[in-house]
Amino acid sequence: MFKFKISEISDGLFILGSAFLIAFVTGYYFLKNNVTAILISTPCSIILFCVYMLFLKKKKGKLLIKREDEEKYVKCANALCLENKEFGENVVFSTLASLGKNPVKVTNGIVCENDFYYVKFSYDKITAGNLANAYKKTPKSKNLVFIAITFSDDALAFASGFFTRIKLLTLSEIFPFLQKANTLPNGGFIPKEQKTSFLNLLKQTFQRQKAKTFALYGSFLLIMSRFVFFPTWYVICGSIFLIYAITIKFFAPKPAYKSFFD
């Protein structure tokens, strides 16, 4: 199940409205009929909105585990992160052994055929520095397979430069094998989700850098009010957006910039 940010939702609505306005103005210019222009612009805007949602879904990536296994995955991730490195290595070792890979424990990791498995489960993303340290510990003539919860962008870029010498595996990729080998760790927990109130959502938008965005939304609605049957709500909403943009511009706190030594 994908969770969307406020910015993504607002961008989608802006695309929907913009596509409708462009199609409506164009259709009205050639057909000179409001009803026909609306009938044409509505499906056009919906299609473009659907394209945006498909693009967003592709960008986020498909979840590698089944929805019914999400609870097990969260428990597994927490159990591995809360234990020491040796515990994680034992889980990976047992999984490889159950799959008939004949793993061998060595200093700092596990050797299996031509690969050296280095395991580090942590809530923090694995960095390029972590990969470099693990690569130094890799036995000669072996390829490094780094297993973790997730990796940072610099780590992904670092690994891509080594081609087959370094392979990155996330927990979501090996989770189906843990299930197959029946080596899921015991324990773990599921964090309680806190519902975000409307007031908190509103506070998140009260930032100076978002003033231009709300001003753009307001201007768009006011312009669109010239082309619709019932302009009152467009004028009211557009004015609210513009007033909120001005309020943010003058009263929102300035962003705090941290120095290199902070």
Side-chain angles (χ1 to χ4, degrees):
M1 181 178 179
F2 288 97
K3 295 183 179 179
F4 298 98
K5 299 178 181 178
I6 296 178
S7 59
E8 295 170 345
I9 296 174
S10 61
D11 289 343
L13 294 176
F14 180 73
I15 290 173
L16 181 66
S18 299
F20 179 85
L21 179 61
I22 294 171
F24 178 83
V25 172
T26 305
Y28 183 80
Y29 177 80
F30 288 103
L31 303 174
K32 305 299 182 182
N33 186 288
N34 281 328
V35 176
T36 307
I38 291 176
L39 292 176
I40 294 175
S41 57
T42 299
C44 290
S45 58
I46 292 176
I47 290 172
L48 189 60
F49 178 76
C50 291
V51 172
Y52 165 76
M53 295 302 293
L54 289 174
F55 171 78
L56 191 62
K57 183 177 181 180
K58 183 178 180 180
K59 184 179 179 181
K60 284 176 174 289
K62 294 182 179 180
L63 193 64
L64 295 175
I65 56 177
K66 296 179 180 179
R67 185 174 181 179
E68 57 267 24
D69 292 332
E70 287 183 3
E71 184 175 314
K72 292 181 181 179
Y73 173 81
V74 173
K75 286 185 177 180
C76 174
N78 284 318
L80 291 171
C81 289
L82 294 174
E83 292 287 349
N84 55 32
K85 186 176 183 297
E86 184 179 0
F87 180 86
E89 286 183 359
N90 290 334
V91 171
V92 174
F93 180 88
S94 299
T95 303
L96 291 171
S98 298
L99 297 175
K101 298 296 183 179
N102 299 320
V104 177
K105 283 192 176 183
V106 296
T107 305
N108 299 317
I110 303 168
V111 169
C112 185
E113 298 178 349
N114 295 322
D115 297 322
F116 171 71
Y117 289 81
Y118 188 88
V119 182
K120 184 177 176 64
F121 293 113
S122 170
Y123 289 113
D124 297 325
K125 290 185 177 181
I126 299 300
T127 65
N130 298 134
L131 294 185
N133 291 333
Y135 189 76
K136 294 176 183 177
K137 300 174 182 177
T138 303
K140 292 183 179 180
S141 73
K142 300 295 181 182
N143 300 318
L144 172 63
V145 179
F146 201 116
I147 301 178
I149 301 293
T150 186
F151 299 90
S152 63
D153 292 337
D154 64 324
L156 296 173
F158 180 85
S160 65
F162 283 81
F163 300 103
T164 58
R165 292 290 296 168
I166 297 180
K167 183 178 181 180
L168 308 182
L169 287 178
T170 61
L171 178 61
S172 59
E173 291 176 291
I174 68 170
F175 182 76
F177 298 100
L178 299 183
Q179 285 188 306
K180 182 179 179 181
N182 196 26
T183 54
L184 290 174
N186 296 322
F189 65 95
I190 299 178
K192 184 178 180 181
E193 293 187 2
Q194 296 182 348
K195 294 183 178 180
T196 305
S197 64
F198 175 77
L199 183 60
N200 289 332
L201 292 175
L202 189 62
K203 288 180 179 179
Q204 293 177 16
T205 65
F206 200 72
Q207 301 176 18
R208 281 177 176 259
Q209 60 268 32
K210 294 185 178 181
K212 293 182 179 179
T213 302
F214 285 108
L216 182 63
Y217 291 167
S219 301
F220 168 76
L221 290 174
L222 291 178
I223 294 172
M224 193 171 178
S225 68
R226 303 284 296 177
F227 303 97
V228 295
F229 290 115
F230 306 102
T232 304
W233 287 108
Y234 287 86
V235 173
I236 292 175
C237 293
S239 300
I240 291 174
F241 274 121
L242 288 175
I243 293 172
Y244 190 60
I246 295 172
T247 304
I248 291 175
K249 187 66 176 177
F250 286 99
F251 297 102
K254 293 183 179 180
Y257 296 97
K258 294 183 178 180
S259 68
F260 181 80
F261 299 100
D262 288 342

